[in-house]
Amino acid sequence: MALIVQKYGGTSVADPDRIRAVAENVAFTKRRGHDVVVVVSAMGKATDTLIALANSVSKTQPGRELDMLLTTGERVSMALVCMALADLGLEAMSFTGSQVGIITDTNHGKAKILEVKGDRVREALAAGNVCVVAGFQGVSTDKEITTLGRGGSDTTAVALAAALSADACEIYTDVTGVFTADPRIVPQARRLAKVNFDEMLEMAGAGSKVLNLRSAEFARNHNVPLHVRSSFTWEPGTWVSAEEPSMEEPIISSVVTDAGEAKVSVLGVPDRPGISAALFEALAATNVNVDMIVQNTSNAGTTDISFTMPKADMGTAQKIVEQVAKDIGATGVSHDDSIAKVSLVGAGMKTSPGIAAKMFRVLADEEINIEMISTSTIRISVVIAAVDMERAARSLHTAFGLDSGQAYSAPLPERH
Ligand code: ADP
Ligand code: ASP
Ligand code: MG
């Protein structure tokens, strides 16, 4: 008998039929003799709807109250899944993040998990129950309800799997696994049978939302192998684990696209020590996640600094940047949210020179202008205009030999 954590994302619990299908799969697993802990997301686009509701009521939205609101989405799903399980004759109990002792820091909206107690889950399992846990939430060291950031149910599942020493952590979603690119953008993408933690981490960091970044970090740090698979076809998917890629595997394993960032440029910045520190310390203090940074060479004692960050952080960042720009004597600030980031990820890159040059050539041949570049040992990212993102991804996918030769065939539910 094994302990299995199963996480079901928003599209997997989007309507009553989907919820009943999830319950059937949980019952199937339980009847094979396994203990099951289920982690659920909010139904379909429920979280987006709650955010829109908050936007329509308030400009201020204190973090504590927004988290109180957003955590209700997952509570709806957990109760409904338990009811569907009861209809199948299973004993099931739902728990909020707080009830299972998911302790986080106090950073509302993107809280980090500090500890998972899990006592109530252990007790309920020992009594023969299926446990259904609300994803994406915890309780802070100040005893306030917190959320873990968008896509945070993945993190809940991996953290619980680690804390409970689960035998498997299954991430059920609306595609059949981790692909060489987002199959909604590159229909010729191929499903990968396995991906190693380092690659998954770079893919998630580059903005592929198939797994959220914190969950990938958690899986690697605690060595929790993940099985990413479909709740629509139920076929075996992709294993994410510590296994190193073999020599025959391609140098590039995936092309990652991210249209969720915006670019800010601070213009006419005096070129002297301490300026970047002043700007980025102020942003860090409010937890804005700055991604790529480019500083131009100085011209007549001034320079321009550009950086990217999630569009969702733009509201917070804008006020800070404008204030710092004034304080340091910069001439202006500009914003551009019609940008996109395209990245190549592959563990084989470490030992293969020339990947960046080939990437830039492919983009040049497509007449796509590169605005920013950043690299790690196994990733190269470029910022380009958002309108060019899909064309860039498809041509890079073909040029690096990743095409499957056929379009993605499993059902792709409409996006929330
Ligand atoms: P869930 O609600 O199940 O958490 P998400 O929307 O967060 O689902 O993540 C699944 C989506 O991730 C897929 O529908 C797909 O469009 C997207 N995606 C992006 N990159 C990839 C990739 N490399 N492989 C598979 N899916 C990807
Ligand atoms: N419901 C949350 C979101 O939409 C968390 C999740 O689905 O993982 O971001
Ligand atoms: Mg997700």
Side-chain angles (χ1 to χ4, degrees):
M1 190 173 90
L3 169 60
I4 300 181
V5 174
Q6 298 183 333
K7 179 258 171 177
Y8 295 93
T11 27
S12 303
V13 292
D15 58 44
D17 285 344
R18 301 296 318 146
I19 287 180
R20 279 191 291 267
V22 163
E24 295 277 359
N25 191 52
V26 173
F28 173 74
T29 314
K30 179 79 179 152
R31 290 195 175 121
R32 279 176 23 214
H34 303 310
D35 280 338
V36 191
V37 174
V38 179
V39 174
V40 284
S41 288
M43 293 171 71
K45 54 183 173 203
T47 307
D48 292 331
T49 309
L50 291 169
I51 292 172
L53 188 58
N55 290 341
S56 63
V57 168
S58 158
K59 283 197 186 62
T60 336
Q61 297 176 16
R64 179 185 189 279
E65 305 311 327
L66 188 60
D67 278 355
M68 205 58 115
L69 178 73
L70 297 189
T71 48
T72 62
E74 272 69 11
R75 292 177 74 135
V76 170
S77 309
M78 71 177 186
L80 292 174
V81 168
C82 281
M83 290 179 196
L85 285 168
D87 277 11
L88 298 176
L90 266 78
E91 304 280 344
M93 285 175 81
S94 63
F95 296 100
T96 63
S98 158
Q99 283 177 306
V100 298
I102 296 181
I103 312 297
T104 73
D105 63 17
T106 55
N107 191 5
H108 284 291
K110 31 179 134 153
K112 273 204 170 115
I113 296 180
L114 302 175
E115 189 192 350
V116 177
K117 296 195 193 292
D119 301 343
R120 292 207 60 187
V121 173
R122 283 190 201 90
E123 284 161 24
L125 287 174
N129 290 285
V130 170
C131 295
V132 182
V133 179
F136 168 65
Q137 56 183 274
V139 60
S140 75
T141 44
D142 284 350
K143 299 191 173 58
E144 301 292 0
I145 299 297
T146 49
T147 59
L148 309 178
R150 297 306 304 265
S153 299
D154 294 336
T155 315
T156 305
V158 180
L160 268 172
L164 301 169
S165 306
D167 299 282
C169 183
E170 300 181 327
I171 306 286
Y172 285 95
T173 184
D174 56 10
V175 284
T176 55
V178 179
F179 281 69
T180 49
D182 185 341
R184 291 175 199 280
I185 290 174
V186 182
Q188 307 251 308
R190 260 182 308 116
R191 182 174 65 211
L192 296 160
K194 40 189 184 174
V195 180
N196 82 11
F197 286 138
D198 289 339
E199 285 175 321
M200 194 66 242
L201 210 55
E202 289 288 356
M203 285 174 73
S208 165
K209 66 182 181 130
V210 63
L211 267 186
N212 119 317
L213 177 59
R214 290 249 178 89
S215 74
E217 278 168 359
F218 229 98
R220 189 185 64 171
N221 294 348
H222 299 267
N223 195 16
V224 181
L226 309 178
H227 186 186
V228 180
R229 54 191 306 190
S230 166
S231 70
F232 287 78
T233 66
W234 307 104
E235 68 201 272
T238 302
W239 278 94
V240 183
S241 74
E243 198 179 314
E244 285 296 321
S246 64
M247 295 301 282
E248 307 87 66
E249 267 165 60
I251 295 161
I252 300 301
S253 55
S254 67
V255 176
V256 182
T257 43
D258 182 3
E261 292 198 339
K263 185 173 85 171
V264 175
S265 301
V266 188
L267 311 169
V269 176
D271 195 11
R272 56 179 152 79
I275 295 290
S276 293
L279 178 61
F280 294 108
E281 274 168 4
L283 291 166
T286 53
N287 282 303
V288 170
N289 283 328
V290 173
D291 181 14
M292 287 196 206
I293 303 173
V294 168
Q295 178 172 341
N296 291 340
T297 46
S298 121
N299 186 359
T302 65
T303 180
D304 298 338
I305 300 176
S306 298
F307 60 92
T308 63
M309 61 175 172
K311 280 180 187 157
D313 285 344
M314 193 71 158
T316 318
Q318 198 159 342
K319 287 180 221 129
I320 296 169
V321 175
E322 266 153 26
Q323 186 56 50
V324 175
K326 214 189 266 169
D327 295 348
I328 61 181
T331 54
V333 177
S334 74
H335 305 271
D336 183 357
D337 55 12
S338 50
I339 57 145
K341 187 169 66 171
V342 177
S343 310
L344 295 179
V345 174
M349 224 185 264
K350 266 186 241 170
T351 49
S352 295
I355 302 295
K358 179 168 171 182
M359 181 185 197
F360 303 155
R361 169 53 54 203
V362 171
L363 295 174
D365 289 347
E366 289 286 327
E367 296 192 0
I368 293 172
N369 187 40
I370 301 173
E371 297 180 27
M372 296 167 116
I373 302 169
S374 81
T375 61
S376 81
T377 46
I378 65 164
R379 176 187 49 78
I380 307 169
S381 302
V382 295
V383 167
I384 58 177
V387 286
D388 294 331
M389 181 183 83
E390 298 199 355
R391 201 156 45 89
R394 290 184 194 135
S395 47
L396 289 167
H397 199 268
T398 305
F400 282 91
L402 297 173
D403 286 358
S404 63
Q406 63 193 42
Y408 180 65
S409 59
L412 267 179
E414 226 165 86
R415 261 340 358 233
H416 3 126

